[in-house]
Amino acid sequence: MADARSKATEKYRKANVKSFNVKFFPSDAEVLEYFQGKANRNQYIKDLIRKDMESRKRPKTYVFETANEGDVTITISGEYVDWCVDMKADISSTGDHHEWTEIDGGSVEEIFEWLMDKGVEFESDRSLWLNLNYVEQVMIDRSKTEEQLLDYAASMTDEELKKWREFYFDI
């Protein structure tokens, strides 16, 4: 009887249970040490994934100051679907409002083109670059942190930023 039960259990697991292998390289030593300190690693990973999934459902808002129109508020609303989100932008001083559907990181320029068409000016090309990339890489793609963007922006020359602006905004 026990043999039949273990065969049934093995058959069920083979059909329904999935596992993944995670590799830790020497450069991941701190991460590995932290992970090994967790009592239930399996549950810890599942909890992290659930938390990430839930965080993608909540609206996210980013507010930045412009050079001439006061604050601009950009809000991600709705769930991420195929790495796309619905977004809206509001210009505080003029009351202008616009909504976009299915925006991905690669199409954030549309939002900033709309802002500039509405007369929004940025303090500098660096300010435009930082705000656009914050929306793209921190809010949508989640591929960078704010600190990483600030470090990268600090390393860019004014000439590089000018070329970037001319390329993306035909200025």
Side-chain angles (χ1 to χ4, degrees):
M1 185 69 163
D3 192 40
R5 184 178 295 166
S6 70
K7 283 183 181 180
T9 299
E10 183 60 32
K11 182 179 177 184
Y12 172 83
R13 286 182 178 166
K14 197 173 209 175
N16 297 295
V17 177
K18 306 295 179 220
S19 67
F20 296 90
N21 182 22
V22 178
K23 296 178 182 177
F24 292 91
F25 292 89
S27 61
D28 302 319
E30 273 184 45
V31 175
L32 176 59
E33 183 180 342
Y34 182 81
F35 183 62
Q36 287 176 321
K38 297 298 176 189
N40 186 340
R41 294 179 202 128
N42 192 41
Q43 189 61 48
Y44 179 71
I45 289 172
K46 291 176 190 175
D47 289 346
L48 284 174
I49 294 169
R50 284 187 186 97
K51 182 179 176 184
D52 186 51
M53 288 169 59
E54 194 58 37
S55 77
R56 292 176 181 272
K57 293 178 184 177
R58 287 187 297 253
K60 292 178 179 56
T61 300
Y62 176 58
V63 179
F64 62 90
E65 189 175 340
T66 67
N68 65 330
E69 294 291 348
D71 290 343
V72 166
T73 302
I74 295 179
T75 304
I76 291 178
S77 54
E79 280 190 59
Y80 285 77
V81 178
D82 296 327
W83 294 98
C84 292
V85 295
D86 294 339
M87 298 186 74
K88 63 182 181 177
D90 297 292
I91 305 169
S92 61
S93 66
T94 64
D96 284 310
H97 172 85
H98 191 73
E99 296 186 23
W100 294 265
T101 58
E102 298 184 13
I103 289 284
D104 64 12
S107 53
V108 171
E109 289 87 6
E110 291 177 39
I111 296 167
F112 284 81
E113 283 177 16
W114 176 80
L115 290 170
M116 289 187 282
D117 287 347
K118 291 294 181 180
V120 169
E121 295 175 5
F122 292 84
E123 183 179 299
S124 64
D125 290 343
R126 190 174 315 277
S127 173
L128 172 60
W129 186 92
L130 276 167
N131 287 298
L132 184 147
N133 281 283
Y134 185 89
V135 172
E136 177 183 321
Q137 296 180 24
V138 175
M139 291 181 72
I140 297 177
D141 293 343
R142 303 175 89 187
S143 60
K144 298 275 189 288
T145 64
E146 183 175 354
E147 294 77 24
Q148 289 171 320
L149 286 181
L150 290 168
D151 288 346
Y152 190 78
S155 73
M156 296 175 77
T157 66
D158 289 343
E159 186 60 30
E160 289 171 321
L161 288 161
K162 180 181 176 198
K163 285 180 183 179
W164 169 84
R165 183 176 182 152
E166 289 170 351
F167 178 80
Y168 281 100
F169 297 103
D170 298 325
I171 295 172

